[in-house]
Amino acid sequence: QKEVEQDPGPLSVPEGAIVSLNCTYSNSAFQYFMWYRQYSRKGPELLMYTYSSGNKEDGRFTAQVDKSSKYISLFIRDSQPSDSATYLCATTNQAGTALIFGKGTTLSVSS
Amino acid sequence: EAQVTQNPRYLITVTGKKLTVTCSQNMNHEYMSWYRQDPGLGLRQIYYSMNVEVTDKGDVPEGYKVSRKEKRNFPLILESPSPNQTSLYFCASSLFGQGDPQETQYFGPGTRLLVL
């Protein structure tokens, strides 16, 4: 079992929709989680992070972690065409030497 | 501008012909790392370097070498490339490592490699 699992999609929504992106993880020792956004032909860029016990909101984006079910979510409100990208959930190994990524979910927002 | 640069961005080569992908960062970061990204497999770490004196293997180091002679550069070397090394490669850097979520890891733009 991979340590971080993510449905690759693709996911297509109309502009203005609420988007829910999800991951599951297997190791309860993971302490925090990140969401990266990767535009086509670009490197991943950090969108936001949250600790394993909390939620975090940043503008139209909300990251949630449910420790009991080992479930990570990213919600995007009022989605825009500029949100079209691949979204990667990630955590870090216990040594702090590597990021562990989900496979990424490709999102397309149509205007 | 703070950035991680990689060269070349695209490369087509043949099996067995040694190649080097360069990576450079201008943020005075101690930590640097290489990942490869493959469809259906996601991003996987190849090698990392905590500082100029320390480099170590990641999850998929076979067929790769790295060098960290100076803080800003971390080249990835493929001594004898094979078709299964066809992939999208990313260099990344951060101040000290991955132990602190507030410490952003910056990724380069990627190098797309095709080995025939």
Side-chain angles (χ1 to χ4, degrees), chain A residues 61-101:
Chain A
F61 298 87
T62 300
Q64 290 185 355
V65 179
D66 183 337
K67 284 182 69 175
S68 61
S69 59
K70 297 189 180 67
Y71 205 76
I72 313 160
S73 299
L74 177 70
F75 298 97
I76 306 174
R77 293 183 298 280
D78 187 26
S79 55
Q80 302 294 309
S82 59
D83 295 328
S84 298
T86 296
Y87 290 81
L88 303 149
C89 58
T91 185
T92 185
N93 64 359
Q94 290 189 298
T97 57
L99 291 174
I100 303 169
F101 286 94

Side-chain angles (χ1 to χ4, degrees), chain A residues 5-111:
Chain A
E5 301 274 6
Q6 184 175 10
D7 184 343
L11 184 61
S12 295
V13 302
E15 184 176 355
I18 297 174
V19 176
S20 173
L21 302 167
N22 307 294
C23 293
T24 59
Y25 62 95
S26 58
N27 189 341
S28 57
F30 291 146
Q31 295 186 337
Y32 61 91
F33 301 91
M34 292 149 280
W35 284 95
Y36 279 79
R37 180 173 59 194
Q38 184 177 17
Y39 290 115
S40 180
R41 303 184 187 281
K42 300 282 188 182
E45 57 177 350
L46 181 66
L47 191 58
M48 56 195 307
Y49 68 87
T50 184
Y51 289 95
S52 61
S53 59
N55 302 335
K56 192 169 186 178
E57 185 174 323
D58 185 1
R60 296 184 295 110
F61 298 87
T62 300
Q64 290 185 355
V65 179
D66 183 337
K67 284 182 69 175
S68 61
S69 59
K70 297 189 180 67
Y71 205 76
I72 313 160
S73 299
L74 177 70
F75 298 97
I76 306 174
R77 293 183 298 280
D78 187 26
S79 55
Q80 302 294 309
S82 59
D83 295 328
S84 298
T86 296
Y87 290 81
L88 303 149
C89 58
T91 185
T92 185
N93 64 359
Q94 290 189 298
T97 57
L99 291 174
I100 303 169
F101 286 94
K103 294 178 184 178
T105 299
T106 300
L107 171 67
S108 176
V109 182
S110 56
S111 57

